[in-house]
Amino acid sequence: MTQAPSVGVHRPKVEYFDIASLTNTDPKGFVRPVEYYREESWGLYMARTSDHPQFYYIESWLLPDLALRTTIFHYHPEHQRDQDFYLDLGEFSRLGPDRWKSVDHYLDIVVRTGRETELLDVDELLAAHAAGLLGAAEAQAAIEHATAAIDGIAANGYSLERWLASLGITLTWR
């Protein structure tokens, strides 16, 4: 039986990526126009404008086999952050020839190229699991994928792109 979520705990965020209609439906159900999609055998790239108060543009790669979404946020000057990449852990899947889905599994990793990685939101993952919003298998998978990403990035001089290249994945950005 699923318990009612405690204060501050939210259900996993779900997003949809519709290549044919060039749209991205965000976790709140807002349909956003997408400027560009690109598919590779190992993932999906999306680039679009944003009306977020802190950033004006977002570029993301969905990497299903690694359970990662790799994002570059283009921040407004007054909201710049000390990060090169923001990684979301989750489940990323193709729903059909022109549609993808992402289910966020709470954990995030900030990559500061050449310096460090930082694991975020462990508390959210544990609270969601305790509230019955994320099963034990999904929680364990999120931890294992996060650990693999952190280890791989560290082993490659804290370079996300070098680690991914060692796996045959070359990210390109606009």
PDB file of all heavy atoms in Angstrom, residues 17-19 39 44 93-101:
ATOM      1  N   PHE A  17       9.053  14.036 -24.785  1.00  0.00           N
ATOM      2  CA  PHE A  17       9.801  14.672 -25.864  1.00  0.00           C
ATOM      3  C   PHE A  17       9.201  14.180 -27.175  1.00  0.00           C
ATOM      4  O   PHE A  17       9.311  12.992 -27.493  1.00  0.00           O
ATOM      5  CB  PHE A  17      11.279  14.279 -25.766  1.00  0.00           C
ATOM      6  CG  PHE A  17      11.876  14.608 -24.416  1.00  0.00           C
ATOM      7  CD1 PHE A  17      11.722  13.729 -23.339  1.00  0.00           C
ATOM      8  CD2 PHE A  17      12.573  15.782 -24.216  1.00  0.00           C
ATOM      9  CE1 PHE A  17      12.257  14.024 -22.098  1.00  0.00           C
ATOM     10  CE2 PHE A  17      13.109  16.086 -22.976  1.00  0.00           C
ATOM     11  CZ  PHE A  17      12.949  15.211 -21.917  1.00  0.00           C
ATOM     12  N   ASP A  18       8.547  15.076 -27.909  1.00  0.00           N
ATOM     13  CA  ASP A  18       7.862  14.712 -29.143  1.00  0.00           C
ATOM     14  C   ASP A  18       8.637  15.293 -30.323  1.00  0.00           C
ATOM     15  O   ASP A  18       8.587  16.500 -30.582  1.00  0.00           O
ATOM     16  CB  ASP A  18       6.427  15.226 -29.125  1.00  0.00           C
ATOM     17  CG  ASP A  18       5.592  14.643 -30.241  1.00  0.00           C
ATOM     18  OD1 ASP A  18       6.108  14.492 -31.378  1.00  0.00           O
ATOM     19  OD2 ASP A  18       4.417  14.325 -29.985  1.00  0.00           O
ATOM     20  N   ILE A  19       9.368  14.429 -31.001  1.00  0.00           N
ATOM     21  CA  ILE A  19      10.239  14.857 -32.090  1.00  0.00           C
ATOM     22  C   ILE A  19       9.429  15.371 -33.275  1.00  0.00           C
ATOM     23  O   ILE A  19       9.763  16.397 -33.862  1.00  0.00           O
ATOM     24  CB  ILE A  19      11.157  13.691 -32.513  1.00  0.00           C
ATOM     25  CG1 ILE A  19      12.044  13.306 -31.325  1.00  0.00           C
ATOM     26  CG2 ILE A  19      12.001  14.055 -33.725  1.00  0.00           C
ATOM     27  CD1 ILE A  19      12.727  11.971 -31.464  1.00  0.00           C
ATOM     28  N   GLU A  39      18.731  12.577 -32.880  1.00  0.00           N
ATOM     29  CA  GLU A  39      18.793  11.227 -32.336  1.00  0.00           C
ATOM     30  C   GLU A  39      20.088  10.544 -32.743  1.00  0.00           C
ATOM     31  O   GLU A  39      20.552  10.692 -33.870  1.00  0.00           O
ATOM     32  CB  GLU A  39      17.618  10.393 -32.837  1.00  0.00           C
ATOM     33  CG  GLU A  39      16.290  10.804 -32.232  1.00  0.00           C
ATOM     34  CD  GLU A  39      15.177   9.878 -32.652  1.00  0.00           C
ATOM     35  OE1 GLU A  39      14.617  10.095 -33.739  1.00  0.00           O
ATOM     36  OE2 GLU A  39      14.880   8.935 -31.891  1.00  0.00           O
ATOM     37  N   LEU A  44      19.121  10.904 -27.198  1.00  0.00           N
ATOM     38  CA  LEU A  44      18.334  11.970 -27.817  1.00  0.00           C
ATOM     39  C   LEU A  44      18.819  13.315 -27.298  1.00  0.00           C
ATOM     40  O   LEU A  44      18.951  13.516 -26.082  1.00  0.00           O
ATOM     41  CB  LEU A  44      16.845  11.813 -27.470  1.00  0.00           C
ATOM     42  CG  LEU A  44      15.918  12.924 -27.975  1.00  0.00           C
ATOM     43  CD1 LEU A  44      15.790  12.873 -29.496  1.00  0.00           C
ATOM     44  CD2 LEU A  44      14.549  12.822 -27.310  1.00  0.00           C
ATOM     45  N   SER A  93      13.318   6.579 -21.925  1.00  0.00           N
ATOM     46  CA  SER A  93      12.910   5.534 -22.853  1.00  0.00           C
ATOM     47  C   SER A  93      12.207   6.110 -24.072  1.00  0.00           C
ATOM     48  O   SER A  93      11.590   7.171 -24.022  1.00  0.00           O
ATOM     49  CB  SER A  93      11.983   4.537 -22.152  1.00  0.00           C
ATOM     50  OG  SER A  93      10.869   5.205 -21.597  1.00  0.00           O
ATOM     51  N   ARG A  94      12.292   5.336 -25.140  1.00  0.00           N
ATOM     52  CA  ARG A  94      11.602   5.668 -26.386  1.00  0.00           C
ATOM     53  C   ARG A  94      10.218   5.044 -26.318  1.00  0.00           C
ATOM     54  O   ARG A  94      10.071   3.867 -26.029  1.00  0.00           O
ATOM     55  CB  ARG A  94      12.381   5.099 -27.560  1.00  0.00           C
ATOM     56  CG  ARG A  94      11.794   5.418 -28.905  1.00  0.00           C
ATOM     57  CD  ARG A  94      12.545   4.673 -29.999  1.00  0.00           C
ATOM     58  NE  ARG A  94      13.923   5.057 -30.108  1.00  0.00           N
ATOM     59  CZ  ARG A  94      14.366   6.053 -30.883  1.00  0.00           C
ATOM     60  NH1 ARG A  94      13.514   6.726 -31.614  1.00  0.00           N
ATOM     61  NH2 ARG A  94      15.641   6.341 -30.936  1.00  0.00           N
ATOM     62  N   LEU A  95       9.194   5.853 -26.572  1.00  0.00           N
ATOM     63  CA  LEU A  95       7.810   5.362 -26.551  1.00  0.00           C
ATOM     64  C   LEU A  95       7.327   4.962 -27.933  1.00  0.00           C
ATOM     65  O   LEU A  95       6.283   4.357 -28.072  1.00  0.00           O
ATOM     66  CB  LEU A  95       6.879   6.437 -25.979  1.00  0.00           C
ATOM     67  CG  LEU A  95       7.129   6.846 -24.539  1.00  0.00           C
ATOM     68  CD1 LEU A  95       6.154   7.943 -24.131  1.00  0.00           C
ATOM     69  CD2 LEU A  95       7.014   5.660 -23.610  1.00  0.00           C
ATOM     70  N   GLY A  96       8.052   5.353 -28.943  1.00  0.00           N
ATOM     71  CA  GLY A  96       7.687   5.078 -30.323  1.00  0.00           C
ATOM     72  C   GLY A  96       8.720   5.728 -31.207  1.00  0.00           C
ATOM     73  O   GLY A  96       9.737   6.230 -30.723  1.00  0.00           O
ATOM     74  N   PRO A  97       8.477   5.783 -32.512  1.00  0.00           N
ATOM     75  CA  PRO A  97       9.498   6.324 -33.412  1.00  0.00           C
ATOM     76  C   PRO A  97       9.803   7.809 -33.175  1.00  0.00           C
ATOM     77  O   PRO A  97      10.912   8.248 -33.442  1.00  0.00           O
ATOM     78  CB  PRO A  97       8.924   6.084 -34.808  1.00  0.00           C
ATOM     79  CG  PRO A  97       7.468   5.885 -34.606  1.00  0.00           C
ATOM     80  CD  PRO A  97       7.294   5.314 -33.232  1.00  0.00           C
ATOM     81  N   ASP A  98       8.852   8.568 -32.677  1.00  0.00           N
ATOM     82  CA  ASP A  98       9.045  10.014 -32.541  1.00  0.00           C
ATOM     83  C   ASP A  98       8.776  10.544 -31.140  1.00  0.00           C
ATOM     84  O   ASP A  98       8.574  11.752 -30.967  1.00  0.00           O
ATOM     85  CB  ASP A  98       8.111  10.759 -33.516  1.00  0.00           C
ATOM     86  CG  ASP A  98       8.498  10.532 -34.963  1.00  0.00           C
ATOM     87  OD1 ASP A  98       9.708  10.448 -35.249  1.00  0.00           O
ATOM     88  OD2 ASP A  98       7.598  10.422 -35.805  1.00  0.00           O
ATOM     89  N   ARG A  99       8.755   9.668 -30.144  1.00  0.00           N
ATOM     90  CA  ARG A  99       8.391  10.135 -28.802  1.00  0.00           C
ATOM     91  C   ARG A  99       9.241   9.449 -27.736  1.00  0.00           C
ATOM     92  O   ARG A  99       9.443   8.236 -27.788  1.00  0.00           O
ATOM     93  CB  ARG A  99       6.910   9.859 -28.565  1.00  0.00           C
ATOM     94  CG  ARG A  99       6.320  10.567 -27.383  1.00  0.00           C
ATOM     95  CD  ARG A  99       4.797  10.511 -27.494  1.00  0.00           C
ATOM     96  NE  ARG A  99       4.185  10.561 -26.190  1.00  0.00           N
ATOM     97  CZ  ARG A  99       3.649  11.653 -25.660  1.00  0.00           C
ATOM     98  NH1 ARG A  99       3.627  12.766 -26.347  1.00  0.00           N
ATOM     99  NH2 ARG A  99       3.116  11.628 -24.467  1.00  0.00           N
ATOM    100  N   TRP A 100       9.723  10.247 -26.789  1.00  0.00           N
ATOM    101  CA  TRP A 100      10.525   9.752 -25.680  1.00  0.00           C
ATOM    102  C   TRP A 100       9.885  10.192 -24.373  1.00  0.00           C
ATOM    103  O   TRP A 100       9.114  11.149 -24.336  1.00  0.00           O
ATOM    104  CB  TRP A 100      11.937  10.330 -25.739  1.00  0.00           C
ATOM    105  CG  TRP A 100      12.808   9.785 -26.829  1.00  0.00           C
ATOM    106  CD1 TRP A 100      12.593   9.885 -28.181  1.00  0.00           C
ATOM    107  CD2 TRP A 100      14.045   9.118 -26.675  1.00  0.00           C
ATOM    108  NE1 TRP A 100      13.615   9.303 -28.864  1.00  0.00           N
ATOM    109  CE2 TRP A 100      14.531   8.831 -27.958  1.00  0.00           C
ATOM    110  CE3 TRP A 100      14.789   8.733 -25.567  1.00  0.00           C
ATOM    111  CZ2 TRP A 100      15.740   8.167 -28.163  1.00  0.00           C
ATOM    112  CZ3 TRP A 100      15.995   8.084 -25.768  1.00  0.00           C
ATOM    113  CH2 TRP A 100      16.451   7.800 -27.063  1.00  0.00           C
ATOM    114  N   LYS A 101      10.269   9.493 -23.296  1.00  0.00           N
ATOM    115  CA  LYS A 101       9.749   9.809 -21.968  1.00  0.00           C
ATOM    116  C   LYS A 101      10.910   9.774 -20.977  1.00  0.00           C
ATOM    117  O   LYS A 101      11.797   8.921 -21.079  1.00  0.00           O
ATOM    118  CB  LYS A 101       8.696   8.784 -21.570  1.00  0.00           C
ATOM    119  CG  LYS A 101       8.124   8.948 -20.176  1.00  0.00           C
ATOM    120  CD  LYS A 101       7.125   7.831 -19.867  1.00  0.00           C
ATOM    121  CE  LYS A 101       6.556   7.935 -18.475  1.00  0.00           C
ATOM    122  NZ  LYS A 101       5.613   6.834 -18.191  1.00  0.00           N
TER     123      LYS A 101
END
